[in-house]
Amino acid sequence: MSSPSSSVQQARRALGQRLREIRKDAGITARELARRAGWHESKCSRLEHGRTPPSDADIRAWALHCDALGQADDLIATARGIDGMYVEWRRMERAGLKRAQQSVAPLFERTHRFRMYQSWVVPGLLQTPAYTTAILRTVAELRDVPDDVADAVAVRMERQRVLHTGVRRFAVLVEEWVLRTVIGDAEVMAGQLGHLIAVGTLPAVSLGVIPLGVARGIGWPVESFTMYDDLQVNVELVSAHLTVTQPREIEEYAQSFANLARLAVYGPRARTLITSAIDALG
């Protein structure tokens, strides 16, 4: 799988290719277009190769001088969509952690099939209040965002009601080292692991654990991601949040999830790994 940030760059290159085709259809050179628009002559090349994201004004000027004003609105919508694919955590959380948690509510409400892979922490839908609090406290300190952790935890806990609606299905994969990574303290972690066992018995939930030491093959550990039906993938990066909506890229994540799922153990074997992690807490 290509790196998440490359997905944004690929989309920018695709938009640049569209701009190039529009210019060529108009029968003008990049140098002439730059002259008409009052740009430095290198700007057209940067836009066409996706090295510089175009502004709304850039696109309107391009369309105007290429006699393609009818395409301007569509091109602007595409460019804005690319900008929205990659959102820095700091920008998302600037208004507070509660707002960041609330922002995904519509997505959860309209999704029927969830596929979640976590290589970092227990997925949010399966977290306890204490575990979520420990995570968000760390986030608030690291990113220097408003301290509304209690409100943000309440929002995340309310979201978990989707597990019990009966109309949604949840396929969850976690690496065994997620079970062994102590978040908060041993008491918080023991409570979280016990909750994981309980929620794994829900009819709508399929919980798989990928054991330590398993031969990976093509099921290589990757960045944590969640698939919402076959329409969108949200990817968690260290510094940002990536939204993938291109069908080809969604299929790549679906294939990656299927490869990882074949490595996981389920039912009693998964519970044994979770219980072992609890015992290791002492």
Side-chain angles (χ1 to χ4, degrees):
M1 182 182 298
S2 58
S3 69
S5 57
S6 72
S7 299
V8 178
Q9 190 55 41
Q10 287 169 10
R12 285 180 176 157
R13 283 197 294 267
L15 175 59
Q17 182 62 33
R18 285 183 64 187
L19 294 175
R20 177 183 174 85
E21 291 169 358
I22 289 170
R23 177 180 61 76
K24 285 185 168 293
D25 287 344
I28 61 176
T29 65
R31 178 174 293 179
E32 174 60 19
L33 175 55
R35 186 192 67 77
R36 294 183 186 182
W39 299 336
H40 188 280
E41 63 181 35
S42 67
K43 181 169 181 174
C44 286
S45 176
R46 295 198 306 272
L47 292 173
E48 289 185 354
H49 289 86
R51 291 193 291 269
T52 299
S55 67
D56 291 3
D58 291 337
I59 291 174
R60 293 198 187 280
W62 195 289
L64 172 66
H65 298 297
C66 293
D67 194 25
L69 278 175
Q71 299 187 53
D73 289 343
D74 180 60
L75 291 167
I76 288 171
T78 299
R80 290 179 179 177
I82 294 170
D83 288 341
M85 289 174 64
Y86 195 92
V87 180
E88 293 181 17
W89 290 118
R90 290 182 184 275
R91 178 151 48 104
M92 182 185 298
E93 294 162 349
R94 193 170 295 153
L97 296 173
K98 178 183 178 181
R99 183 73 60 84
Q101 294 296 316
Q102 289 173 325
S103 67
V104 298
L107 179 59
F108 278 72
E109 290 295 332
R110 66 176 178 260
T111 300
H112 289 84
R113 183 188 182 197
F114 294 77
R115 279 166 286 180
M116 295 173 275
Y117 167 74
Q118 264 293 348
S119 55
W120 296 355
V121 296
V122 173
L125 280 178
L126 278 59
Q127 291 176 6
T128 64
Y131 187 90
T132 298
T133 297
I135 289 175
L136 295 186
R137 287 263 176 236
T138 300
V139 168
E141 292 173 6
L142 288 176
R143 297 179 183 150
D144 192 26
V145 298
D147 187 358
D148 58 351
V149 170
D151 290 339
V153 171
V155 172
R156 180 172 287 187
M157 294 303 107
E158 167 62 19
R159 187 189 308 153
Q160 292 182 1
R161 62 183 174 79
V162 299
L163 294 168
H164 307 281
T165 61
V167 297
R168 296 178 176 87
R169 293 293 178 266
F170 306 85
V172 182
L173 299 175
V174 297
E175 299 283 352
E176 185 182 355
W177 59 71
V178 169
L179 311 178
R180 301 281 181 163
T181 302
V182 178
I183 303 293
D185 57 27
E187 183 179 356
V188 168
M189 200 65 203
Q192 174 59 69
L193 294 174
H195 179 70
L196 196 59
I197 291 174
V199 78
T201 66
L202 293 174
V205 177
S206 168
L207 175 62
V209 179
I210 302 174
L212 288 167
V214 66
R216 304 298 304 210
I218 59 175
W220 199 253
V222 294
E223 65 277 0
S224 298
F225 64 88
T226 299
M227 299 188 66
Y228 301 90
D229 293 323
D230 289 313
L231 301 175
Q232 179 173 321
V233 180
N234 285 357
V235 185
E236 300 175 23
L237 309 178
V238 172
S239 61
H241 168 96
L242 178 71
T243 298
V244 175
T245 57
Q246 294 185 9
R248 178 184 57 79
E249 294 186 2
I250 291 174
E251 178 54 35
E252 287 187 41
Y253 278 98
Q255 186 59 56
S256 182
F257 189 89
N259 294 337
L260 291 162
R262 283 192 282 270
L263 298 177
V265 296
Y266 303 85
R269 293 177 66 190
R271 289 194 292 274
T272 296
L273 292 179
I274 298 171
T275 300
S276 177
I278 295 173
D279 293 341
L281 294 169

